[in-house]
Amino acid sequence: MTPTQDRPALDRLLSPRSIAMVGASNSPTRIGGTVFGNLLRNFPGEVYPVHPKDEVVQGRTAYRSVRDVPEAVDMAVIAVPAPAVVDVVAECAALGVGGATVITSGFAEAGPEGRALQDRLTAVARETGIRVIGPNCIGYMNTHGGVMANFMLTPDQPMPEAGPVALVSQSGGFGSYITNKAVLAGLRLGWFVSTGNEADVNVAAVLRHLVERPEVGVLLSFVETLRDPEVFVDTARRAAELDKPLVLLKAGRSEEAARAAMSHTASIVGSAQVLDAVCRQYGVFVASTMEELLDLGTIFQDGRRAGGDRVIVMTSSGGAGVLLADEAGQAGLSVPELPQDEQAALAADMPMPFYGSTANPVDTTAQTTAMPDAYRKVLNKVAASPSADMLTAVTWAGPGPANDAIVEMYQTTTKPVAILSTAWSPQFQQAGVPTFTDPCRAMVALAALARQSDRGPLPPDPAAFAADAGRVRRVRELIAEAGTETTLLESTGKRILAMYGIPVTREEMVTGEDAAVEAAERIGGPVAIKVMSYQLPHKSDAGAIRLGLRGPDAVRAGYRDMLDEVARRAPGAAVEGVLVQQMAPARLELTCGVQRDPVFGPMVAIGLGGVLVEVLSEAVLLRPPFDVDTARAALGRLLGGRLLTGRRGLAEEEQRAAAEIMTGLATLALELGEIAEIDVNPLRVADGALLAADALIVVNHD
Amino acid sequence: MTPTQDRPALDRLLSPRSIAMVGASNSPTRIGGTVFGNLLRNFPGEVYPVHPKDEVVQGRTAYRSVRDVPEAVDMAVIAVPAPAVVDVVAECAALGVGGATVITSGFAEAGPEGRALQDRLTAVARETGIRVIGPNCIGYMNTHGGVMANFMLTPDQPMPEAGPVALVSQSGGFGSYITNKAVLAGLRLGWFVSTGNEADVNVAAVLRHLVERPEVGVLLSFVETLRDPEVFVDTARRAAELDKPLVLLKAGRSEEAARAAMSHTASIVGSAQVLDAVCRQYGVFVASTMEELLDLGTIFQDGRRAGGDRVIVMTSSGGAGVLLADEAGQAGLSVPELPQDEQAALAADMPMPFYGSTANPVDTTAQTTAMPDAYRKVLNKVAASPSADMLTAVTWAGPGPANDAIVEMYQTTTKPVAILSTAWSPQFQQAGVPTFTDPCRAMVALAALARQSDRGPLPPDPAAFAADAGRVRRVRELIAEAGTETTLLESTGKRILAMYGIPVTREEMVTGEDAAVEAAERIGGPVAIKVMSYQLPHKSDAGAIRLGLRGPDAVRAGYRDMLDEVARRAPGAAVEGVLVQQMAPARLELTCGVQRDPVFGPMVAIGLGGVLVEVLSEAVLLRPPFDVDTARAALGRLLGGRLLTGRRGLAEEEQRAAAEIMTGLATLALELGEIAEIDVNPLRVADGALLAADALIVVNHD
């Protein structure tokens, strides 16, 4: 065993010090020839071709098999026909190879036989500890380590310039497409990894590995299926901790996978919403287009951060200024008017008569742009303005003194800069000036940068969550009362909610008219009465509810009438008792609950409730665990913020109460994995307090 | 007078047969030199320089003044200092010149003095009939007529290729920026007109002129302030009639201009929403970014139309296929799975073993792309598929057989094609192949094309609206009852609404308890009573309302109690009577009304009402006149369609009733210009019917 074997296998796989390639070819048009040619380009260590017949491959002595290679290499690239792959990987593992990059196709994507082959490959990785990228991938590139283990370029094409940006893509084809675009856009890509079928290593694992590498400053990712959500969340937390932006482009958003949905609120969430919510919670940027993925890479690659959200816009066209200011506002940035003294200083450099503006947007007019000295002075003053945290300037691509001045300004200031240009320009790319070709895209990028610069505290670590064992035992006793029933009685559900600090209506479970009357008197005021029966989870459909009963006579009459109606309409229903319940007033009704996403597990949702729940479908989602501040911030996003700012919206203490209900639900969902679904609807809001008036809990007895 | 003077002045201005330039210069670095050099480039007619001293300007005999020019030219370009401009234009008008393009700055953009100069310029245009473009503009380009009356290019830069796309921009600077980008993107720009300060001719007028020109197929426009909304709407109707797409990019969307707002629903609309609504109603595309403006130009310039919304996606990367299918769905297009026979035909051309997909997205895999014959065959079959109306294919920029095959396919098929490429390519641009650099942008463009292809009937012509004079007289009599009050009594408002077919609650205006009791008996069921007073437009604030009174005692008690409370809380309020009103049941509450936009005039709005009106702010807007079908389609957009599809949403007959209420409000707003605002809130929905339960009408007595 060589010393390099002391490193973790994934590290050996992605940063090898020696490489073998099984399936290396002398033919430049074959994949095995292209990949081997690429391996030879920049790699400082040994690269051993393995070939069944040829003595020499592309100038290197070839070996008959991996066994014959003179050392246990860190990484083997494998490009042999699919049926041979598993044995080669197993052989590598036995020889102490760290990892394999399997280029070959014909696995899970090719039907049941391929699926079986891939399962065997997964098993070899699990059993031996060798790490495997692929199969059916385009390979990877690690420019810092000189590794070009891929066929996304041919050996005669120029290498991307090494830099802080890492791109991880499940899709090899589209990953290399994005790489191509990224290089055109001036991104300095230090890493590109395609994971293909993900028999072993997946996107989350690669991101988790790369986030720790010092040369990586920005992580971009394109995924179709997000596997290993815990690793993904952990990566996101770590990326936030290290202040390395993580940007995700997700395909397959429209697929509405089989997914446990909340009974009353089936329309509230789709899984793309869950992904978006989780990403937002953990500070991951979700790019809505491929170009946005690259735009965020562009703004983040120089590592600059902003002290606030104030943008200064400099342009020689009033129209462009107005459009940029619009887009800034749309993206959530501010474009403050400059104070008089700054404006006077700018005006002093403008040619006379001056028909532009010094307010912000600073409109220099075309006349100033044509005067190199004036333009340079104004630009540098603008960049130095204490009234702005970021700078946008508009220019035309092509050489000239204005663009020279922009490069000089960029190199002088430490503020984030986004230049709007008619096209990419070699001059800007060489100098690393972040360049955008559309006003909206420039501002979306700056807004992301402002968000990254203003990160709050790290969200709680899911791994650190500790359950309250005593409470869990008590809840399980209550659940046990339901026997094999999966939907708990409302009365039971509310007792459970109360154990997590969720305020519920005052209520008593009774049998008989007299007991109901007595309970109503103890509760006080008008009451509701409801039949509790496992067969009647939707009470109003069976007439199993009476509302607003005031006084003994009304309670008595309502009780009799209700039980008669239930006996008539649902003769088979076994009545467990009658719940006598306080009538809760409401200025506003909310609905909240828990549902389990097939990828991310339990998610707490809160949204508008009441009669409009059928026609509305807006909710915010949070993944447990989270703290009260996070919950309050989430409430602030409901209805575009109007739930808090609207005249009848939530008051301060109501917001706190709602946030505490959300954290209570979160703890409940984490403590009891068997709870499949919770639906609190309505959650009645009045006079500074919230009250759960109905609750449905569904358990999974498996 | 020469024969050319028979043409309309705007036609002479934009398609001149002879040109003079006042302020032509021999210095190539001066604007007067650049513009004159441009004028000489391609213009087939005479171009006369006017210069105070030089005998010859750029090789042409110069004239001392416009008077000395040997003919009354169609168009004069004016680039003299601002103080001299008005006199020159007046002189041109006196000499029979058709129009002037005023390049000079220093008018309204330069303060009060400039503003006064510009007003004089406007007056000259109005009084003499000469048409004026500018001042403070960059000029215009009419490649079809060989006119380069601008300084957006220097005479040594290549001319844009003539074509069907016209760009009209208020901003000269940003207009030429867009032009620059448009040429890079492969747009064939036949026209570019900048209107600058719009002393006379504005963007709407230029669009109205260009829409009729046979060489113009697509109209793109960038505006900051939209003047002449009637001309704009008329242009939009004409563009729809001629099937010429009109695309608008609007800056200044965030400015919330002073604007009459509906009293309860101030948050419902901003003026950008009004613009969007009007554009949607008249078939105008609103681009959300500059690049989208160009993307729509790209997809529209070949004039192809789609037979439906089905897209077929061909790619060699599964990941790209999924992303494109997502974006297609997001944009409202469908990506149907191909039928088995078509799939079999495609599979027959694929290399074996084939690990891609023939379903749609058709994933050829990189292997097929590397085999030119197979790729060409598959591509042509895909383009010929009877299952798709449009085609997207993914490629890498650069020469090669795959891109040759794409050009050949594009020239063979008549279907709309959108190619996703890593970059613009000269090969595609020469062949006119619509190319996009982002999956989302490609699909947004195809969706716009599908919408343009599936236009409904033309909206009614506002100019053709005819008022019902008898009804108008009767409404004015009712309004007169209010004297100088601007907010009508609810009782009056509802009588007016009823005259326009809007169903209102059964109700009677009474004085005294006995009369109230009798009225309640005639109306039947529980009633509401409300104090009618001009001083109490917001009744509940003053306790001027009682709800749900059932039987004579309750009505009598409520009446007394209510008047006591009003006397106490609003002692100064003069009571005109008490309205006794049917209680209207409601499953759902809507709110609808009319407000006047400062640009587009009356707009009918409908949205969700009831207690949530404070926290929600979604509404759809229509500009009168419109028909019932248009109103129903608008309802379908409320809450993302859920108002119609939700389980408690509007039933068929309720939709019809709502649409008829909207057309009733539209007629009312058009017939009575003095009605500033109507607010029907709530509009109660139950059992197939809608009922206006309250109504506020504000009139303007000026």
Side-chain angles (χ1 to χ4, degrees), chain B residues 535-536 538-546 562 565-567 569-570:
Chain B
Q535 286 79 50
L536 304 176
H538 299 289
K539 292 175 277 283
S540 50
D541 294 352
I545 182 167
R546 292 294 182 276
M562 175 174 74
E565 184 174 356
V566 167
R569 293 174 63 174

Side-chain angles (χ1 to χ4, degrees), chain B residues 543-555:
Chain B
I545 182 167
R546 292 294 182 276
L547 297 173
L549 306 180
R550 192 186 286 271
D553 294 349
V555 171

Side-chain angles (χ1 to χ4, degrees), chain A residues 105-106 109-110 171 173-174 176-177 180-181 184 222 224 249-254 288-291 317 319-320 322-323 326-327 355 394-396 420-423 437-441 588 608 611-612 614-617 639 642-643 646-649, chain B residues 105-106 109-110 171 173-174 176-177 180-181 184 222 224 249-254 288-291 317 319-320 322-323 326-327 355 394-396 420-423 437-441 588 608 611-612 614-617 639 642-643 646-649:
Chain A
S105 295
E109 83 283 8
S171 166
F174 200 54
S176 72
Y177 192 97
N180 192 317
K181 291 264 314 174
L184 291 175
F222 173 66
E224 290 156 76
L249 175 66
K250 173 77 169 65
R253 294 176 61 86
S254 53
S288 51
T289 65
M290 179 185 66
E291 288 184 335
S317 150
V322 177
L323 194 62
D326 272 354
E327 299 289 7
Y355 298 135
V394 183
T395 191
W396 267 245
L420 179 68
S421 175
T422 45
T437 57
D438 180 85
C440 174
R441 289 166 61 188
L588 195 69
L608 229 57
V611 289
L612 287 178
E614 303 294 337
V615 284
L616 285 173
S617 77
L639 302 174
R642 291 185 301 277
L643 186 67
R647 194 153 67 86
R648 290 166 189 268
Chain B
S105 294
E109 84 281 11
S171 165
F174 201 53
S176 74
Y177 192 96
N180 192 318
K181 292 262 315 172
L184 290 174
F222 173 66
E224 291 157 74
L249 176 65
K250 174 75 170 69
R253 294 176 62 88
S254 52
S288 50
T289 64
M290 179 186 64
E291 287 183 337
S317 152
V322 177
L323 193 61
D326 273 353
E327 299 290 7
Y355 298 135
V394 183
T395 191
W396 267 245
L420 179 68
S421 176
T422 45
T437 57
D438 180 85
C440 175
R441 289 167 60 188
L588 195 69
L608 230 57
V611 288
L612 287 177
E614 302 293 338
V615 284
L616 286 172
S617 78
L639 302 173
R642 292 187 300 279
L643 186 67
R647 196 153 67 84
R648 290 166 189 266

Side-chain angles (χ1 to χ4, degrees), chain B residues 12-31:
Chain B
R12 295 178 64 202
L13 168 54
L14 289 171
S15 301
R17 291 175 197 154
S18 54
I19 300 175
M21 175 163 181
V22 190
S25 164
N26 272 308
S27 160
T29 61
R30 300 192 59 164
I31 286 179

Side-chain angles (χ1 to χ4, degrees), chain A residues 494 497-504 660-661 664-665 668 680 683 692:
Chain A
K494 282 160 146 182
L497 293 183
M499 291 163 69
Y500 289 82
I502 295 162
V504 299
E660 283 166 0
I661 289 171
L665 288 173
L668 172 52
V680 181
L683 185 62

